[in-house]
């Protein structure tokens, strides 16, 4: 066994510590501090709770921007360039433009169909989207008789798109959206823009012409103004106007000027006229042509059971609208001067299989037939220059909701009267002092204005 090497002489040895006594206490090992303290956990929980609470608000603010653009695109699609600002600021005016665009549309047209997708996105309602796809004829405001409508009726109120969803999103999106929702209503690039519907002419207020219908209405322009003879025999009445047909006053029946044109449908030239008579057997109504070129001649018009609800004439022909007592359907007839009468093909509303019903009225101007029909506060006018072979599309002459500031006793002007080359659209009243709207047209009813 080998011995350890010897320790050098000068080496200093270290004494080892003596062992602790058996009675000394033994110290426990020190515990390591925890990695997460309670206050940190509470802080993290508060942050998580805040994020959880603010997430829906941030989501609402993000949705608000998209909804504002959809609303602007929708308004642009409905009424044209002024739509976004009107729907945002003055919804009542926006609704008026929606109505105006509706009544200007052809009966079979679906004017709001391209806006249905935006309406569905804004409201989440398939019923609202379906209302936007309805044809104009189905809307109550269009004025079609209920018996002629196709499918269930629809109203402008059923369109039901408003700014309420944006108001709600703006409130829920605070504090991420503090600038308000109105500034966000801007249409997107390439959005469809409808044609802005122009405003209808503001009518004048007239008075003096009667509401009762007569077979004969003959007018003459004299030095003292216009003189109108209405009716025949005991029902003959005469009226005079000095302001172009706006206001009328009774004229004496003894006026010698009346004898040349009263109690007949007289042409403006005064050379030709038409009268009605009953056939000798009482079965038919006849039209008699009178003129300086030959003796009076009569032709059959219609069965005597049909009522003549309107008649007008010029030098070339007489036109008449006939209906059975109590019926709304009307038939048209044309009686050329000294020629047999024939049925006149009535106009139809574009896109639907429907023809005008009573109340309607006729005028005859320069060889053209003008027809006006009142439909639920809206008066539409059409004309034919070729004796019924073709008709111009119906145009809107009057809408009772267009100018509510014009207040009259009779609300709707549904009568026509030829004033030379001009056509007068008026109401007619039961009392002379009662008022009614008045409009005139110089182009056979294509455009109307106040006299």
């Amino acid at each position: 066994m080998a011995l350890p090497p010897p320790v050098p002489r000068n080496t200093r040895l270290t004494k080892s510590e003596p062992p602790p006594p058996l009675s000394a206490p033994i110290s426990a090992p020190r515990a390591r501090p925890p990695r997460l303290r309670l206050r940190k956990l509470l802080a993290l929980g508060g942050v998580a709770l805040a994020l959880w609470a603010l997430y829906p608000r941030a989501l609402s603010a993000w949705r608000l921007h998209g909804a504002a653009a959809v609303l602007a695109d929708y308004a642009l699609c409905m009424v044209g360039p002024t739509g976004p600002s009107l729907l945002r600021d003055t919804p009542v005016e926006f609704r008026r433009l929606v109505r105006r665009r509706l009544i200007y549309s052809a009966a079979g047209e679906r004017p709001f169909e391209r806006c249905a997708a935006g309406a569905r996105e804004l409201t989440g309602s398939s019923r609202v989207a379906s209302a936007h796809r309805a044809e104009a004829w189905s809307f109550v405001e269009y004025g079609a008789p209920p018996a002629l409508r196709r499918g269930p009726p629809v109203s402008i109120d059923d369109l039901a798109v408003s700014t309420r969803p944006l108001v709600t999103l703006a409130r829920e999106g605070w504090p991420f959206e503090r600038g308000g929702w109105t500034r966000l209503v801007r249409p997107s690039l390439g959005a469809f823009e409808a044609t802005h519907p122009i405003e209808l002419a503001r009518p004048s207020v007239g008075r003096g012409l009667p509401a009762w219908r007569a077979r004969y209405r003959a007018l003459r322009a004299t030095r003292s103004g216009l003189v109108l003879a209405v009716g025949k025999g005991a029902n003959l009445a005469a009226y005079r106007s000095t302001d172009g047909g706006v206001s009328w006053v009774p004229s004496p029946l003894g006026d010698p000027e009346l004898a040349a044109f009263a109690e007949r449908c007289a042409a403006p030239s005064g050379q030709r006229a038409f009268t009605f008579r009953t056939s000798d057997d009482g079965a038919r109504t006849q039209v008699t042509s009178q003129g300086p070129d030959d003796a009076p001649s009569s032709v059959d018009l219609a069965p005597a059971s049909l009522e003549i609800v309107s008649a007008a004439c010029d030098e070339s022909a007489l036109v008449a609208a006939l209906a059975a007592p109590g019926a709304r359907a009307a038939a048209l007839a044309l009686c050329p001067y000294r020629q047999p009468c024939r049925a006149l093909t009535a106009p139809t509303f574009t896109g639907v299989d429907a023809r005008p019903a009573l109340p309607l009225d006729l005028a005859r101007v320069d060889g053209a037939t003008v027809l006006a029909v009142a439909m639920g506060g809206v008066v539409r006018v059409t004309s034919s220059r070729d004796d019924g072979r073709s008709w111009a599309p119906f145009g809107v002459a009057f809408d009772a909701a267009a100018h509510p500031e014009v207040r009259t006793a009779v609300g709707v002007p549904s009568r026509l009267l030829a004033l030379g080359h001009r056509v007068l659209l008026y109401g007619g009243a039961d009392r002379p002092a009662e008022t009614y709207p008045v409009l005139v047209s110089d182009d056979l009813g294509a455009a109307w204005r106040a006299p």
Side-chain angles (χ1 to χ4, degrees), residues 45-346:
V47 170
L49 183 62
L51 291 176
W52 178 81
L54 291 176
Y55 173 75
R57 292 186 173 274
L59 185 60
S60 296
W62 179 76
R63 288 177 175 172
L64 175 63
H65 286 256
V70 173
L71 183 76
D73 292 348
Y74 168 81
L76 194 71
C77 173
M78 292 291 286
V79 300
T82 61
S85 59
L86 290 178
L87 182 55
R88 179 190 63 198
D89 302 329
T90 53
V92 174
E93 184 62 25
F94 177 82
R95 190 181 190 279
R96 288 182 61 188
L97 286 187
V98 170
R99 175 190 171 89
R100 192 184 303 170
R101 187 178 174 211
L102 169 67
I103 65 171
Y104 282 0
S105 302
E109 185 180 353
R110 301 176 188 272
F112 310 125
E113 186 173 21
R114 297 186 67 168
C115 316
R120 174 65 181 269
E121 186 172 351
L122 289 167
T123 63
S125 171
S126 58
R127 182 184 61 82
V128 171
S130 178
H132 283 76
R133 297 188 183 98
E135 61 184 12
W137 187 254
S138 300
F139 280 82
V140 175
E141 292 81 1
Y142 200 81
L148 299 180
R149 292 198 193 109
R150 301 185 299 187
V154 185
S155 171
I156 291 177
D157 294 333
D158 295 329
L159 303 182
V161 174
S162 70
T163 59
R164 285 192 297 270
L166 272 68
V167 175
T168 301
L169 287 173
R171 183 175 62 251
E172 295 175 350
W174 189 91
F176 296 98
E177 184 54 59
R178 301 183 182 183
W181 62 271
T182 56
R183 64 183 178 83
L184 303 175
V185 181
R186 293 191 296 266
S188 53
L189 295 176
F192 170 74
E193 180 177 315
T195 302
H196 181 82
I198 61 174
E199 186 175 9
L200 290 172
R202 187 180 187 273
S204 298
V205 177
R207 58 170 51 85
L209 290 181
W212 52 275
R213 292 181 178 271
R215 291 185 174 186
Y216 299 121
R217 291 176 298 173
L219 182 136
R220 280 290 182 274
T222 66
R223 294 180 180 179
S224 59
L226 301 173
V227 179
L228 175 67
V230 181
K232 181 181 179 181
N235 296 322
L236 177 64
Y239 305 90
R240 186 178 300 273
S241 174
T242 58
D243 57 4
V246 176
S247 58
W248 300 78
V249 295
S251 182
L253 294 180
D255 191 336
E257 295 176 332
L258 288 177
F261 62 92
E263 299 182 307
R264 70 197 71 179
C265 183
S269 66
Q271 299 297 312
R272 295 178 176 181
F274 299 86
T275 58
F276 297 101
R277 65 181 297 271
T278 303
S279 61
D280 294 338
D281 59 2
R284 301 191 66 81
T285 299
Q286 296 181 328
V287 173
T288 301
S289 299
Q290 301 175 352
D293 53 342
D294 203 346
S297 60
S298 300
V299 293
D300 289 342
L301 171 63
S305 59
L306 296 182
E307 179 185 0
I308 300 174
V309 296
S310 179
C313 65
D314 60 3
E315 285 82 0
S316 62
L318 174 141
V319 290
L322 306 110
R328 291 203 61 189
L332 304 182
L334 176 75
C335 300
Y337 182 72
R338 296 193 184 281
Q339 296 181 29
C341 298
R342 62 176 176 84
L344 185 69
T345 303

